[in-house]
Amino acid sequence: MNSGAIKTKEVRALEWTNNRLRLLDQTLLPTRVQYTELEHWPEVVTAITSMQVRGAPALGVAGAYAVVLAAQELKELPFGEFREMLQAAASSIAEARPTAVNLAWAVACTMKAAAPAANTVETIKLLLAEAQTIEREDIEANHSIGEHGSLLLPQDATVMTHCNAGALATAGYGTALGVIRTAWAQGKLKNVIVTETRPLFQGARLTTWELTQAGIPTTLIVDSAAASVLRSGDVSAIVVGADRIAANGDVANKIGTYGLAVLAKVHSVPFYVAAPMSTVDLATATGAEIIVEERAPEEVSSPQGVQVAPHEVGIYNPAFDVTPAEYVSAIITERGAFTAPYSESLSSGAQSRG
Ligand code: MRU
């Protein structure tokens, strides 16, 4: 098991260091680059709910390390009680955000890996090894996603992306931005069009920050400009990430993704979803079963702390939407790009290796 420091030249959203979880506080970007070190698992839950750390795969890695922190904190308890309290903490961590399956998946993986342990010391060792494996494998998966995805793009591609599915949303490199980074490295990419992604501006604040740091040509548009930009014929493909992909290929991702998928179909632009297999949830049959997180009304009425709507108005703030599989041209994973019928391609992909 490789437990050494992970080497990647992109920004790290999170890092295990000195038995603590070090997070880049994404609520402060792009104006402040500030890290916070967390020692107690409830602090990680707060970081997740407040979106200091966000993006499905990064949530999974944070959740896995939060379980390690919980075990470290409970280690003086008798083993039976330790196990019970650890399970309770793991459940709270897994439930911190409901839509991204990677969070519950990673917490379950760590708990399963530690199940054979005979004492607290061994439990902590196994939990940590599993969390580090999840982190390392996510970076490896993203590089493979980049390779598979870049093959789908034409020379001199202009790619539109939504929200942030980059290094910041993963253990490193990114999923949709992994495709973009690889295409750029291969000299295939002309420009990236980034939608601002209201209400929390992950596109404007995070994706443009990541891409400009990498020297990749980037154009920011407001969400409502997407239709006319797609109509212009200048966009080669849309590539987005995913929070949960159902067995039939329905995709939950940041609110606004479904609208882009419909526009892509109308304007004959390929619509690609880039995600690791850990985001594919074969236990969820269709998108209708996916729980879509609703977030605080203040995110809409006071974006970035600036009031733009009267306090009295009713607000609906779903954080995600579900794009039906029929709008998805391909799902790009570390095991290749899958196409419809997804109920067949995803389940055979889940069984295959490499
Ligand atoms: O609410 P967020 O910022 O966590 O939403 C993130 C997204 O929707 C991403 O597209 C998704 O998690 C994939 S990240 C590789």
Side-chain angles (χ1 to χ4, degrees), residues 241-246 249-253 273 290 321-325 328 331:
D243 283 82
R244 189 182 296 245
I245 300 173
D250 291 349
V251 174
N253 192 49
V273 174
I290 297 175
D321 57 26
V322 175
T323 299
V328 179
I331 296 175

Side-chain angles (χ1 to χ4, degrees), residues 99-227:
T99 306
V101 69
N102 305 62
L103 177 57
W105 169 84
V107 169
C109 287
T110 49
M111 291 300 284
K112 191 171 164 206
N119 54 51
T120 51
V121 174
E122 204 187 333
T123 305
I124 293 171
K125 204 173 124 204
L126 292 174
L127 289 173
L128 180 57
E130 181 64 11
Q132 289 175 324
T133 299
I134 290 170
E135 181 181 15
R136 192 188 66 249
E137 290 184 350
D138 186 57
I139 299 176
E140 288 166 3
N142 293 338
H143 282 272
S144 301
I145 287 169
E147 296 290 335
H148 291 300
S150 180
L151 287 175
L152 299 173
L153 300 178
Q155 188 59 38
D156 296 323
T158 292
V159 174
M160 181 181 282
T161 191
H162 185 57
C163 192
N164 173 266
L168 290 168
T170 61
Y173 201 67
T175 57
L177 292 201
V179 174
I180 286 166
R181 285 179 191 279
T182 304
W184 175 249
Q186 294 174 345
K188 287 180 81 172
L189 191 72
K190 192 167 80 185
N191 192 23
V192 184
I193 296 175
V194 178
T195 50
E196 60 180 356
T197 318
R198 283 182 175 237
L200 294 182
F201 295 94
Q202 290 94 330
R205 294 189 304 106
L206 308 178
T207 299
T208 61
W209 184 76
E210 259 197 73
L211 292 176
T212 51
Q213 282 210 332
I216 298 175
T218 303
T219 305
L220 176 65
I221 60 170
V222 297
D223 294 327
S224 42

